[in-house]
């Protein structure tokens, strides 16, 4: 049992977060005067939850079985670019809409290979689980999503799937935010130990 501040929005947000972490959560709000900020957490903030492979490793299968859970599977074809992008985000603490082209990172070869193979295996098992559950999930890659990157192309990719799961895509009532990781220079300019890295046999990720 947790005591909370008098914040309906905070109570709902805390309940959603602990539930996503696997807890069975019951939120008690005794007064309805400020219930609408709690609705905001449920309807707007909780509609999309980003899950990395290290999150909910134990409880993710149970979460996917819930009838109202929908999934966008967003992956990278280039496993090295994916790994470098992640290292840069950790180094800069900037996860989107930030140009990291001039940020250099050093690749631990053993960690990179282990991470690459682990992610490929995780995404493969996740796809198998989603297909078994007959989930109508959207399977995307960054490369496809960022090709001819603009609002119209984003809508062309997203709207049919959103409509298929019953989400209103009328632009009068909602505008989707566009996020893009920016690494515009050639990949090799981001790697301090480039000679070592290029000795590793590269493979296109099957995620």
């Amino acid at each position: 049992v947790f005591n909370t501040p008098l914040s309906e929005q905070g109570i709902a947000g805390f309940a959603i977060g602990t539930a996503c972490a696997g807890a069975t959560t019951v939120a008690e709000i005794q007064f309805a005067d400020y219930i609408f900020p709690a609705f905001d957490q449920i309807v707007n903030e909780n509609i999309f939850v980003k899950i990395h492979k290290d999150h909910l490793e134990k409880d993710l299968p149970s979460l996917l079985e819930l009838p109202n859970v929908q999934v966008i599977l967003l992956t990278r074809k280039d496993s090295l670019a994916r790994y470098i992008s992640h290292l840069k985000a950790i180094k800069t603490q900037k996860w989107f809409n930030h140009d990291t082209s001039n940020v250099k990172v050093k690749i631990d070869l053993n960690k990179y290979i282990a991470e690459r193979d682990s992610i490929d295996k995780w995404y493969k098992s996740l796809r198998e689980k989603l297909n078994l559950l007959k989930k109508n999930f959207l399977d995307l890659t960054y490369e496809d999503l960022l090709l001819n990157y603009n609002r119209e192309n984003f809508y062309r990719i997203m709207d049919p799937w959103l409509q298929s799961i019953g989400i209103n895509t009328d632009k009068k009532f909602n505008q989707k935010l566009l996020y893009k990781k920016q690494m515009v220079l050639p990949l090799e300019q981001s790697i301090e130990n480039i000679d070592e890295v290029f000795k590793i046999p590269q493979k296109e990720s099957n995620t």
Side-chain angles (χ1 to χ4, degrees):
V1 178
F2 294 90
N3 290 323
T4 66
L6 292 176
S7 169
E8 288 77 5
Q9 190 173 30
I11 293 169
F14 180 79
I16 291 167
T18 53
C20 286
T24 300
T25 307
V26 177
E28 181 186 16
I29 298 176
Q30 297 181 357
F31 304 99
D33 296 2
Y34 297 98
I35 198 66
F36 291 106
F39 286 169
D40 175 67
Q41 282 290 316
I42 296 168
V43 175
N44 293 320
E45 303 300 334
N46 189 45
I47 191 168
F48 292 110
V49 178
K50 183 176 180 181
I51 299 177
H52 186 260
K53 81 173 190 69
D54 294 329
H55 300 160
L56 311 181
E57 190 70 36
K58 178 182 177 182
D59 300 299
L60 183 57
S62 300
L63 179 64
L64 294 177
E65 291 175 4
L66 297 177
N68 294 323
V69 169
Q70 306 294 341
V71 178
I72 299 175
L73 207 57
L74 185 60
T75 57
R76 294 286 289 263
K77 291 179 180 177
D78 188 333
S79 60
L80 181 58
R82 177 183 62 204
Y83 189 70
I84 291 173
S85 177
H86 186 65
L87 289 182
K88 286 187 173 191
I90 292 174
K91 187 172 183 177
T92 63
Q93 289 300 298
K94 303 289 185 181
W95 296 86
F96 52 82
N97 287 357
H98 180 73
D99 187 355
T100 60
S101 299
N102 293 319
V103 177
K104 284 185 170 288
V105 294
K106 186 173 182 178
I107 306 295
D108 183 311
L109 305 186
N110 292 327
K111 285 185 179 180
Y112 161 62
I113 293 171
E115 178 76 3
R116 179 194 65 188
D117 294 344
S118 172
I119 289 177
D120 286 353
K121 181 179 178 181
W122 187 80
Y123 274 112
K124 181 180 178 181
S125 66
L126 186 55
R127 279 192 181 88
E128 291 172 351
K129 177 70 172 177
L130 291 169
N131 286 323
L132 185 65
L133 293 171
K134 294 182 168 48
K135 287 281 186 182
N136 179 25
F137 66 98
L138 181 60
D139 205 345
L140 286 178
T141 68
Y142 277 103
E143 289 80 1
D144 293 335
L145 190 59
L146 299 184
L147 183 65
N148 302 318
Y149 188 81
N150 55 56
R151 190 174 294 275
E152 289 70 29
N153 189 53
F154 182 83
Y155 289 147
R156 180 187 62 79
I157 293 172
M158 296 293 296
D159 281 2
W161 178 76
L162 290 170
Q163 291 164 6
S164 75
I165 61 173
I167 293 180
N168 182 6
T169 58
D170 190 333
K171 306 307 179 289
K172 293 179 182 178
F173 300 105
N174 66 80
Q175 288 285 333
K176 303 173 188 67
L177 297 176
L178 302 181
Y179 297 113
K180 172 167 100 166
K181 290 185 179 178
Q182 299 174 359
M183 195 160 57
V184 297
L185 296 179
L187 194 63
E188 54 267 22
Q189 295 190 30
S190 297
I191 306 173
E192 293 178 358
N193 53 331
I194 185 65
D195 293 336
E196 296 178 63
V197 172
F198 275 6
K199 291 178 183 178
I200 304 173
Q202 296 299 315
K203 65 176 183 177
E204 183 176 286
S205 173
N206 60 16
T207 62

